[in-house]
Amino acid sequence: MATLDVKDLSFRYSADQTELLKNINFAPQPGSFNLLIGPSGSGKSTLLKLITGLYPQFGGQISQGSILLNGQAVGPIVPFERAKHIALLFQNPSRQFAMQTPLEQLTFSLENLQLPAEQILQRVQVALEELGLWALRNRDLQTLSGGEQQRVALANILALDSDIIVLDEPFANVDPASRLALLDHLKRLQVVNKKTIILSDHDLSGYLNIVDQVYALDNHQLITQSLDVIKAFKGANLNWSQTKPMAGPNQMTWQELTLTVGDRQLLKANTGQLSQGKLGLLTGANGIGKSTFFKALAHLKNYTGKIYFDQQTSEHIKLRLWSKKVALLFQNAQDQFISLTVAQELALARKHSQEPTYWTQVRLDAAVDALNLTQVLEQSVYLLSGGQQKKLQSLLMLITAPPVLLFDEPLAGLDFTSSQALLALIKETLNQLTLTALMISHQRAGLQPFVDYELCLDQAQISYVGGNHDAL
């Protein structure tokens, strides 16, 4: 089994910045399951990229210390040899794809290991079948849901058969049932195949009988945590009234809406509405069509049926004007950025805000502070952590203040404190400006004080699950 030893490691992104990581010592037991936790922006992704040799080759500088893989410095090891011993699943799975389909992607990765053709075919098939992806092997990766892409990226890592498997927020866009199945699969890899698992996550549910050791990154330091931190973590079920809301003012409705992708019908002649000034939650399994539904409402996907805004059919509203009424927050935050720095993005959003008198500099500064982004204002948006990018992306949408906001997985990659701060800001803005919002999220912990009602997409229908009857 491969060994990993991080000794007195300190790292910064540039010479004029303070060290993000200081005096890190980390030597996981070979064949163990290790969980890495910590606030958004604490350096978890950075540490994982360091131990897999991506940093400092592709960014930043090590000011002291070393990282040893099997007793050798990890950086100079050629990539295809390094991948035989340690492999990283990125926080954003689409950044890991170089080919068009899952089959081509896994084959390409194993070809880079210079394996025999017959061994490549066998490994690819086993990995895809074990993760329930064989039926999707020839699908275009860009047409898969975020959760399905995450599973393909994990299959790609498993096919490499590395001794040490490193996973950066692997369940951020995965539904609860798939999450538990993937955790079980990783545990079997650890126990049966003697793999060393190093995994970062903000959601601690499901780890109690799986994890051997917990490490926490906070205030630039890595410390060992008791397993009690997992025992103390509580998930949450949303307690709803089953009574449907009374008819009221609704800025967005749809009638007989039908969605089809290829030969798959994702939505069958559905009729529904969003409640004005409220935050709704849309749930459903991965690949069921939630993001496609959002894209249809934003006129980024073809559909049949009718979509209305203030009782006016969207067909009579030009696309340029529709985009000012209905805004979609993409699942991948980087796809939404235009400027280079955080400050530039904020200035651009204020320039195009539909509520400029509300978004004063004082209010903006307070929002930035609440989301803990003040210290990164002059930093490149592409150097932010995944959680920081998500918080910035959501804030930009709130500043532009369209009447209808569609949030696709805004909480992915956020620690509990950060998600609570973001939800509080979203709720306050909706209440103050009477905006309408619907959010896709597989995370349910801490949602009850903020979400007003829940819709579920299942079996090609969107149905009302329940809601806070008083709020509706």
PDB file of all heavy atoms in Angstrom, residues 42-62:
ATOM      1  N   SER A  42     -11.261  27.540   3.943  1.00  0.00           N
ATOM      2  CA  SER A  42     -10.219  27.264   4.936  1.00  0.00           C
ATOM      3  C   SER A  42      -8.983  26.616   4.327  1.00  0.00           C
ATOM      4  O   SER A  42      -7.933  26.565   4.967  1.00  0.00           O
ATOM      5  CB  SER A  42     -10.766  26.379   6.056  1.00  0.00           C
ATOM      6  OG  SER A  42     -11.221  25.131   5.545  1.00  0.00           O
ATOM      7  N   GLY A  43      -9.099  26.099   3.092  1.00  0.00           N
ATOM      8  CA  GLY A  43      -7.937  25.523   2.425  1.00  0.00           C
ATOM      9  C   GLY A  43      -8.014  24.032   2.190  1.00  0.00           C
ATOM     10  O   GLY A  43      -6.999  23.401   1.839  1.00  0.00           O
ATOM     11  N   LYS A  44      -9.192  23.432   2.336  1.00  0.00           N
ATOM     12  CA  LYS A  44      -9.323  21.983   2.165  1.00  0.00           C
ATOM     13  C   LYS A  44      -8.961  21.553   0.739  1.00  0.00           C
ATOM     14  O   LYS A  44      -8.164  20.627   0.539  1.00  0.00           O
ATOM     15  CB  LYS A  44     -10.754  21.536   2.499  1.00  0.00           C
ATOM     16  CG  LYS A  44     -11.168  21.815   3.933  1.00  0.00           C
ATOM     17  CD  LYS A  44     -12.529  21.264   4.257  1.00  0.00           C
ATOM     18  CE  LYS A  44     -13.625  21.834   3.380  1.00  0.00           C
ATOM     19  NZ  LYS A  44     -13.759  23.302   3.510  1.00  0.00           N
ATOM     20  N   SER A  45      -9.553  22.217  -0.247  1.00  0.00           N
ATOM     21  CA  SER A  45      -9.251  21.872  -1.645  1.00  0.00           C
ATOM     22  C   SER A  45      -7.779  22.104  -1.957  1.00  0.00           C
ATOM     23  O   SER A  45      -7.154  21.329  -2.694  1.00  0.00           O
ATOM     24  CB  SER A  45     -10.127  22.690  -2.598  1.00  0.00           C
ATOM     25  OG  SER A  45     -11.491  22.389  -2.430  1.00  0.00           O
ATOM     26  N   THR A  46      -7.220  23.163  -1.398  1.00  0.00           N
ATOM     27  CA  THR A  46      -5.804  23.467  -1.621  1.00  0.00           C
ATOM     28  C   THR A  46      -4.927  22.346  -1.078  1.00  0.00           C
ATOM     29  O   THR A  46      -3.987  21.890  -1.750  1.00  0.00           O
ATOM     30  CB  THR A  46      -5.432  24.801  -0.947  1.00  0.00           C
ATOM     31  OG1 THR A  46      -6.222  25.844  -1.523  1.00  0.00           O
ATOM     32  CG2 THR A  46      -3.959  25.124  -1.141  1.00  0.00           C
ATOM     33  N   LEU A  47      -5.224  21.872   0.120  1.00  0.00           N
ATOM     34  CA  LEU A  47      -4.446  20.783   0.706  1.00  0.00           C
ATOM     35  C   LEU A  47      -4.547  19.518  -0.136  1.00  0.00           C
ATOM     36  O   LEU A  47      -3.541  18.827  -0.367  1.00  0.00           O
ATOM     37  CB  LEU A  47      -4.922  20.509   2.129  1.00  0.00           C
ATOM     38  CG  LEU A  47      -4.230  19.350   2.859  1.00  0.00           C
ATOM     39  CD1 LEU A  47      -2.727  19.592   2.955  1.00  0.00           C
ATOM     40  CD2 LEU A  47      -4.841  19.138   4.249  1.00  0.00           C
ATOM     41  N   LEU A  48      -5.729  19.217  -0.627  1.00  0.00           N
ATOM     42  CA  LEU A  48      -5.908  18.014  -1.441  1.00  0.00           C
ATOM     43  C   LEU A  48      -5.137  18.117  -2.756  1.00  0.00           C
ATOM     44  O   LEU A  48      -4.583  17.122  -3.235  1.00  0.00           O
ATOM     45  CB  LEU A  48      -7.398  17.777  -1.705  1.00  0.00           C
ATOM     46  CG  LEU A  48      -8.270  17.524  -0.466  1.00  0.00           C
ATOM     47  CD1 LEU A  48      -9.693  17.180  -0.869  1.00  0.00           C
ATOM     48  CD2 LEU A  48      -7.684  16.426   0.414  1.00  0.00           C
ATOM     49  N   LYS A  49      -5.099  19.304  -3.340  1.00  0.00           N
ATOM     50  CA  LYS A  49      -4.331  19.489  -4.569  1.00  0.00           C
ATOM     51  C   LYS A  49      -2.831  19.415  -4.314  1.00  0.00           C
ATOM     52  O   LYS A  49      -2.059  18.987  -5.176  1.00  0.00           O
ATOM     53  CB  LYS A  49      -4.707  20.822  -5.230  1.00  0.00           C
ATOM     54  CG  LYS A  49      -6.110  20.817  -5.822  1.00  0.00           C
ATOM     55  CD  LYS A  49      -6.523  22.184  -6.342  1.00  0.00           C
ATOM     56  CE  LYS A  49      -7.947  22.166  -6.884  1.00  0.00           C
ATOM     57  NZ  LYS A  49      -8.416  23.505  -7.303  1.00  0.00           N
ATOM     58  N   LEU A  50      -2.418  19.816  -3.131  1.00  0.00           N
ATOM     59  CA  LEU A  50      -1.007  19.716  -2.771  1.00  0.00           C
ATOM     60  C   LEU A  50      -0.575  18.265  -2.627  1.00  0.00           C
ATOM     61  O   LEU A  50       0.476  17.859  -3.146  1.00  0.00           O
ATOM     62  CB  LEU A  50      -0.747  20.479  -1.472  1.00  0.00           C
ATOM     63  CG  LEU A  50      -0.572  21.996  -1.593  1.00  0.00           C
ATOM     64  CD1 LEU A  50      -0.769  22.659  -0.241  1.00  0.00           C
ATOM     65  CD2 LEU A  50       0.794  22.334  -2.163  1.00  0.00           C
ATOM     66  N   ILE A  51      -1.367  17.458  -1.938  1.00  0.00           N
ATOM     67  CA  ILE A  51      -0.949  16.081  -1.688  1.00  0.00           C
ATOM     68  C   ILE A  51      -1.039  15.218  -2.938  1.00  0.00           C
ATOM     69  O   ILE A  51      -0.431  14.143  -2.985  1.00  0.00           O
ATOM     70  CB  ILE A  51      -1.748  15.445  -0.529  1.00  0.00           C
ATOM     71  CG1 ILE A  51      -3.221  15.289  -0.893  1.00  0.00           C
ATOM     72  CG2 ILE A  51      -1.579  16.236   0.745  1.00  0.00           C
ATOM     73  CD1 ILE A  51      -4.043  14.634   0.214  1.00  0.00           C
ATOM     74  N   THR A  52      -1.766  15.689  -3.947  1.00  0.00           N
ATOM     75  CA  THR A  52      -1.822  14.947  -5.207  1.00  0.00           C
ATOM     76  C   THR A  52      -0.876  15.528  -6.262  1.00  0.00           C
ATOM     77  O   THR A  52      -0.898  15.104  -7.418  1.00  0.00           O
ATOM     78  CB  THR A  52      -3.253  14.911  -5.766  1.00  0.00           C
ATOM     79  OG1 THR A  52      -3.798  16.239  -5.793  1.00  0.00           O
ATOM     80  CG2 THR A  52      -4.139  14.024  -4.907  1.00  0.00           C
ATOM     81  N   GLY A  53      -0.076  16.526  -5.886  1.00  0.00           N
ATOM     82  CA  GLY A  53       0.965  17.029  -6.763  1.00  0.00           C
ATOM     83  C   GLY A  53       0.548  18.087  -7.756  1.00  0.00           C
ATOM     84  O   GLY A  53       1.352  18.503  -8.603  1.00  0.00           O
ATOM     85  N   LEU A  54      -0.705  18.563  -7.682  1.00  0.00           N
ATOM     86  CA  LEU A  54      -1.149  19.603  -8.616  1.00  0.00           C
ATOM     87  C   LEU A  54      -0.601  20.970  -8.228  1.00  0.00           C
ATOM     88  O   LEU A  54      -0.323  21.809  -9.089  1.00  0.00           O
ATOM     89  CB  LEU A  54      -2.676  19.638  -8.680  1.00  0.00           C
ATOM     90  CG  LEU A  54      -3.342  18.366  -9.217  1.00  0.00           C
ATOM     91  CD1 LEU A  54      -4.847  18.520  -9.234  1.00  0.00           C
ATOM     92  CD2 LEU A  54      -2.826  18.033 -10.616  1.00  0.00           C
ATOM     93  N   TYR A  55      -0.490  21.206  -6.942  1.00  0.00           N
ATOM     94  CA  TYR A  55       0.165  22.409  -6.428  1.00  0.00           C
ATOM     95  C   TYR A  55       1.501  21.987  -5.832  1.00  0.00           C
ATOM     96  O   TYR A  55       1.613  20.878  -5.286  1.00  0.00           O
ATOM     97  CB  TYR A  55      -0.674  23.094  -5.342  1.00  0.00           C
ATOM     98  CG  TYR A  55      -1.912  23.807  -5.823  1.00  0.00           C
ATOM     99  CD1 TYR A  55      -2.901  24.198  -4.915  1.00  0.00           C
ATOM    100  CD2 TYR A  55      -2.107  24.094  -7.162  1.00  0.00           C
ATOM    101  CE1 TYR A  55      -4.039  24.862  -5.329  1.00  0.00           C
ATOM    102  CE2 TYR A  55      -3.253  24.760  -7.582  1.00  0.00           C
ATOM    103  CZ  TYR A  55      -4.214  25.132  -6.664  1.00  0.00           C
ATOM    104  OH  TYR A  55      -5.337  25.783  -7.082  1.00  0.00           O
ATOM    105  N   PRO A  56       2.561  22.766  -5.939  1.00  0.00           N
ATOM    106  CA  PRO A  56       2.609  24.116  -6.530  1.00  0.00           C
ATOM    107  C   PRO A  56       2.873  24.148  -8.040  1.00  0.00           C
ATOM    108  O   PRO A  56       3.098  25.213  -8.588  1.00  0.00           O
ATOM    109  CB  PRO A  56       3.765  24.756  -5.780  1.00  0.00           C
ATOM    110  CG  PRO A  56       4.707  23.626  -5.536  1.00  0.00           C
ATOM    111  CD  PRO A  56       3.844  22.417  -5.287  1.00  0.00           C
ATOM    112  N   GLN A  57       2.816  22.995  -8.717  1.00  0.00           N
ATOM    113  CA  GLN A  57       3.099  22.981 -10.150  1.00  0.00           C
ATOM    114  C   GLN A  57       2.179  23.916 -10.913  1.00  0.00           C
ATOM    115  O   GLN A  57       2.606  24.617 -11.829  1.00  0.00           O
ATOM    116  CB  GLN A  57       2.980  21.561 -10.707  1.00  0.00           C
ATOM    117  CG  GLN A  57       3.278  21.476 -12.205  1.00  0.00           C
ATOM    118  CD  GLN A  57       3.192  20.059 -12.736  1.00  0.00           C
ATOM    119  OE1 GLN A  57       2.956  19.111 -11.995  1.00  0.00           O
ATOM    120  NE2 GLN A  57       3.377  19.898 -14.035  1.00  0.00           N
ATOM    121  N   PHE A  58       0.895  23.955 -10.533  1.00  0.00           N
ATOM    122  CA  PHE A  58      -0.077  24.759 -11.266  1.00  0.00           C
ATOM    123  C   PHE A  58      -0.585  25.954 -10.467  1.00  0.00           C
ATOM    124  O   PHE A  58      -1.586  26.568 -10.848  1.00  0.00           O
ATOM    125  CB  PHE A  58      -1.252  23.882 -11.708  1.00  0.00           C
ATOM    126  CG  PHE A  58      -0.855  22.787 -12.648  1.00  0.00           C
ATOM    127  CD1 PHE A  58      -0.843  21.461 -12.236  1.00  0.00           C
ATOM    128  CD2 PHE A  58      -0.458  23.083 -13.945  1.00  0.00           C
ATOM    129  CE1 PHE A  58      -0.470  20.449 -13.104  1.00  0.00           C
ATOM    130  CE2 PHE A  58      -0.080  22.079 -14.819  1.00  0.00           C
ATOM    131  CZ  PHE A  58      -0.076  20.754 -14.402  1.00  0.00           C
ATOM    132  N   GLY A  59       0.075  26.302  -9.379  1.00  0.00           N
ATOM    133  CA  GLY A  59      -0.335  27.480  -8.637  1.00  0.00           C
ATOM    134  C   GLY A  59       0.251  27.525  -7.247  1.00  0.00           C
ATOM    135  O   GLY A  59       0.442  26.493  -6.603  1.00  0.00           O
ATOM    136  N   GLY A  60       0.562  28.745  -6.794  1.00  0.00           N
ATOM    137  CA  GLY A  60       1.024  28.948  -5.438  1.00  0.00           C
ATOM    138  C   GLY A  60       2.458  28.527  -5.214  1.00  0.00           C
ATOM    139  O   GLY A  60       3.184  28.141  -6.140  1.00  0.00           O
ATOM    140  N   GLN A  61       2.859  28.574  -3.950  1.00  0.00           N
ATOM    141  CA  GLN A  61       4.229  28.232  -3.588  1.00  0.00           C
ATOM    142  C   GLN A  61       4.278  27.648  -2.188  1.00  0.00           C
ATOM    143  O   GLN A  61       3.570  28.093  -1.284  1.00  0.00           O
ATOM    144  CB  GLN A  61       5.130  29.465  -3.674  1.00  0.00           C
ATOM    145  CG  GLN A  61       4.637  30.661  -2.893  1.00  0.00           C
ATOM    146  CD  GLN A  61       5.427  31.913  -3.174  1.00  0.00           C
ATOM    147  OE1 GLN A  61       6.153  32.384  -2.326  1.00  0.00           O
ATOM    148  NE2 GLN A  61       5.271  32.446  -4.389  1.00  0.00           N
ATOM    149  N   ILE A  62       5.095  26.634  -2.037  1.00  0.00           N
ATOM    150  CA  ILE A  62       5.337  26.029  -0.726  1.00  0.00           C
ATOM    151  C   ILE A  62       6.450  26.819  -0.062  1.00  0.00           C
ATOM    152  O   ILE A  62       7.565  26.898  -0.577  1.00  0.00           O
ATOM    153  CB  ILE A  62       5.723  24.548  -0.861  1.00  0.00           C
ATOM    154  CG1 ILE A  62       4.536  23.736  -1.412  1.00  0.00           C
ATOM    155  CG2 ILE A  62       6.163  23.983   0.480  1.00  0.00           C
ATOM    156  CD1 ILE A  62       4.861  22.272  -1.670  1.00  0.00           C
TER     157      ILE A  62
END
